[in-house]
Amino acid sequence: MQKTRRGLLVILSSPSGAGKSTLSRRLLEWDPSLSFSVSATTRAPRPGETDGSDYHFLSVEAFRQEVSGDGMLEHAHVFGNFYGSPRAPVEAAIHRGCDVLFDIDWQGAQQIVNSALGVHTLSVFILPPSIGELRRRLEGRGQDSAEVIGKRMEKSWDEISHWGSYDYVLVNDDLDETFARLTTIVTATRLRRLQQPWLVEHVRGLQTEFEEMT
């Protein structure tokens, strides 16, 4: 009997600066079989970003065509640009028994959870230890202007207010401890009955064996 499990859609969300990108990167290093869902976006590439690796960079027209053709598993409009997750590669990975990692906001998470693949999702929200620490982390990046940081801070509470819709919530006050808890959650969720379709056949075999003995 081939004991192949179904793949998981592992969703990480947080306000900017709370640590989801760092945790996502460490998850991929922890288990190389985990693949990252490369999002599509209409924003311009940043220095060093590569099309198809960091993002699929699309025109607004091309993005809208993908959405209208049901080619996006989820999509959202954030800071004046469209973002979305292409459906086909995710579905293919799940059927192969491979997990796919999503670094997305609450809007995208909600769409995925409500989709046909929603039963195979694991959603985790990352909270900062404080709002002051969240601002300090954003400023410490040195990537954004004061105006952009201000907009991200304004949006942070909107993101945080949706924490209750996630399966798990972690306060990222210590990165190593938070990562350890996260890997424990992923490991346990992979063992859910729903993710183990081979169990049905196994139990039938046990039943047959039992009936033959009696």
Side-chain angles (χ1 to χ4, degrees):
M1 182 192 306
Q2 188 175 6
K3 298 181 180 180
T4 302
R5 67 178 178 86
R6 290 191 179 95
L8 284 172
L9 284 74
V10 182
I11 299 171
L12 291 187
S13 300
S14 76
S16 294
K20 71 177 183 297
S21 295
T22 300
L23 289 168
S24 294
R25 184 169 60 253
R26 291 185 65 167
L27 266 183
L28 295 171
E29 294 170 353
W30 169 71
D31 186 351
S33 72
L34 244 169
S35 62
F36 190 76
S37 175
V38 180
S39 298
T41 182
T42 58
R43 74 162 172 78
R46 292 172 180 165
E49 289 184 331
T50 304
D51 183 41
S53 178
D54 298 288
Y55 284 94
H56 298 292
F57 295 101
L58 303 177
S59 66
V60 173
E61 180 181 358
F63 190 97
R64 287 175 171 164
Q65 286 178 351
E66 287 292 325
V67 171
S68 63
D70 201 28
M72 293 291 175
L73 186 59
E74 58 81 24
H75 64 280
H77 190 253
V78 183
F79 296 129
N81 295 295
F82 289 103
Y83 293 83
S85 301
R87 177 184 297 274
V90 174
E91 290 183 332
I94 294 305
H95 292 314
R96 291 196 310 270
C98 299
D99 301 331
V100 182
L101 178 62
F102 294 82
D103 176 349
I104 54 179
D105 67 8
W106 69 269
Q107 292 172 296
Q110 192 173 64
Q111 290 178 59
I112 291 178
V113 169
N114 292 333
S115 73
L117 296 178
V119 293
H120 302 300
T121 60
L122 162 62
S123 61
V124 183
F125 195 88
I126 310 299
L127 286 171
S130 69
I131 298 300
E133 174 63 14
L134 187 67
R135 176 179 284 277
R136 188 192 69 77
R137 292 177 183 177
L138 287 174
E139 292 174 341
R141 288 177 177 179
Q143 296 178 344
D144 299 313
S145 65
E147 181 182 359
V148 170
I149 290 175
K151 289 181 178 179
R152 294 190 185 279
M153 288 301 299
E154 289 174 6
K155 185 176 173 56
S156 65
W157 184 250
D158 178 53
E159 290 283 346
I160 291 171
S161 68
H162 294 277
W163 68 274
S165 63
Y166 286 73
D167 297 323
Y168 295 89
V169 179
L170 300 175
V171 178
N172 187 19
D173 48 5
D174 181 283
L175 183 61
D176 289 337
E177 290 184 6
T178 301
F179 180 68
R181 293 194 294 267
L182 180 59
T183 55
T184 298
I185 290 169
V186 172
T187 300
T189 308
R190 285 172 168 174
L191 297 174
R192 287 190 309 197
R193 176 177 54 81
L194 183 63
Q195 306 310 124
Q196 310 293 328
W198 61 271
L199 283 172
V200 174
E201 184 180 350
H202 181 73
V203 173
R204 285 173 180 165
L206 293 176
Q207 181 181 11
T208 299
E209 184 180 2
F210 178 79
E211 291 172 349
E212 290 173 348
M213 291 176 62
T214 58

